[in-house]
Amino acid sequence: VQLQASGGGLVQPGGSLRLSCEASGNIFSIRVMGWSRQAPGKQRELVASITNDASGGVTNYEDSVKGRFTVSRDNAKNTLYLQMNSLKPEDTAVYYCVAYGDQAYWGQGTLVTVSS
């Protein structure tokens, strides 16, 4: 499984960004997809995930992003999204797309900087 993330950039506090992650390869093995982030000097943390099932997917969020971030997927495009609203400086991090199947697959990171 290969994951290609995009959409990072510089945004002011209170602004929005949407990250995208296109999956290719043996995508049928994927059971859960999500977004992790790693801020400078901190450990990587999983901030949002969505299951890959026919019901539309069950989502889960880390407490600090609940109500501000929304994870979704478009199965027709094999693409995962992360809509980030009301961004805060503490959201600044490198964001990674991750897929869980027979093993964990990681995409390259995309930098999100929230600063005035």
Side-chain angles (χ1 to χ4, degrees):
V1 174
Q2 293 79 46
L3 303 172
Q4 182 69 41
S6 61
L10 173 64
V11 63
Q12 291 187 342
S16 298
L17 276 178
R18 188 176 81 156
L19 306 182
S20 300
C21 175
E22 184 173 356
S24 60
N26 186 22
I27 60 174
F28 299 103
S29 69
I30 297 173
R31 295 177 177 82
V32 178
M33 291 191 74
W35 293 93
S36 283
R37 69 184 181 187
Q38 187 165 20
K42 295 187 177 181
Q43 290 188 333
R44 191 175 298 189
E45 60 177 354
L46 183 67
V47 296
S49 64
I50 183 168
T51 60
N52 186 26
D53 57 62
S55 68
V58 176
T59 58
N60 193 43
Y61 298 93
E62 196 269 333
D63 285 346
S64 68
V65 307
K66 283 181 180 177
R68 300 188 298 120
F69 290 12
T70 302
V71 62
S72 62
R73 68 175 197 272
D74 184 334
N75 288 341
K77 296 181 179 179
N78 297 327
T79 301
L80 179 76
Y81 302 100
L82 184 67
Q83 178 65 44
M84 305 184 293
N85 299 328
S86 302
L87 283 161
K88 304 175 181 180
E90 51 264 43
D91 294 318
T92 295
V94 178
Y95 285 71
Y96 299 89
C97 176
V98 57
Y100 297 97
D102 53 344
Q103 65 181 75
Y105 300 91
W106 293 87
Q108 92 291 358
T110 184
L111 177 62
V112 173
T113 303
V114 184
S115 175
S116 55

